[in-house]
Amino acid sequence: MNRIEYFKQLLEKSPDNPMVHYSLGLEYYKAKDYENAIKHLTRYLELQEDEGAAYRTLAKCYEELGEFHKAIEVLEEGIKQAMKYNHPSMAQEFQQWIEELRRMSF
């Protein structure tokens, strides 16, 4: 059984488990199935507050799909969370990424 199938089985037993959604989102991201990764990472963020890392992966999914404006929105939220949890270097990384995305999208 591959990791995606494993996490899908866990999700059937516990559909509101944030860590299962996060893990499944990461596995879909690795498999370049960005739509499913977005679905599960978004659900994770609905269920649990994150310090910033999930926003990075979610934004990368949107970037890979060419949805730069959506990636920017996710990164802006990620900056808020990173600052809330005292991760200024992550916030700075996200801000630089936003600037790159803005150049790409216009």
Side-chain angles (χ1 to χ4, degrees):
M1 172 186 321
N2 70 34
R3 292 179 60 84
I4 290 175
E5 291 304 316
Y6 171 74
F7 288 120
K8 284 170 71 174
Q9 285 185 357
L10 288 179
L11 196 60
E12 287 178 17
K13 297 174 187 171
S14 184
D16 289 328
N17 183 320
M19 291 313 297
V20 174
H21 281 285
Y22 182 72
S23 298
L24 197 47
L26 289 179
E27 291 304 319
Y28 277 123
Y29 172 75
K30 291 177 197 172
K32 299 184 181 188
D33 183 345
Y34 302 118
E35 289 87 1
N36 275 314
I38 288 168
K39 175 181 141 186
H40 289 285
L41 291 169
T42 299
R43 183 66 180 135
Y44 163 74
L45 291 170
E46 291 169 353
L47 294 168
Q48 179 168 315
E49 195 165 334
D50 186 82
E51 295 185 17
Y55 294 94
R56 178 186 290 118
T57 307
L58 184 56
K60 189 66 179 161
C61 290
Y62 283 117
E63 181 181 23
E64 291 292 334
L65 293 173
E67 296 182 36
F68 301 131
H69 293 289
K70 191 68 177 164
I72 289 169
E73 288 175 20
V74 168
L75 290 169
E76 287 171 342
E77 187 62 31
I79 288 170
K80 292 176 194 170
Q81 289 302 107
M83 293 306 291
K84 179 178 180 180
Y85 286 95
N86 197 28
H87 299 303
S89 62
M90 181 183 289
Q92 184 178 19
E93 169 197 337
F94 289 176
Q95 186 59 50
Q96 290 172 342
W97 189 0
I98 287 170
E99 291 167 16
E100 291 172 20
L101 288 169
R102 285 190 174 132
R103 284 193 295 273
M104 293 169 60
S105 64
F106 296 109

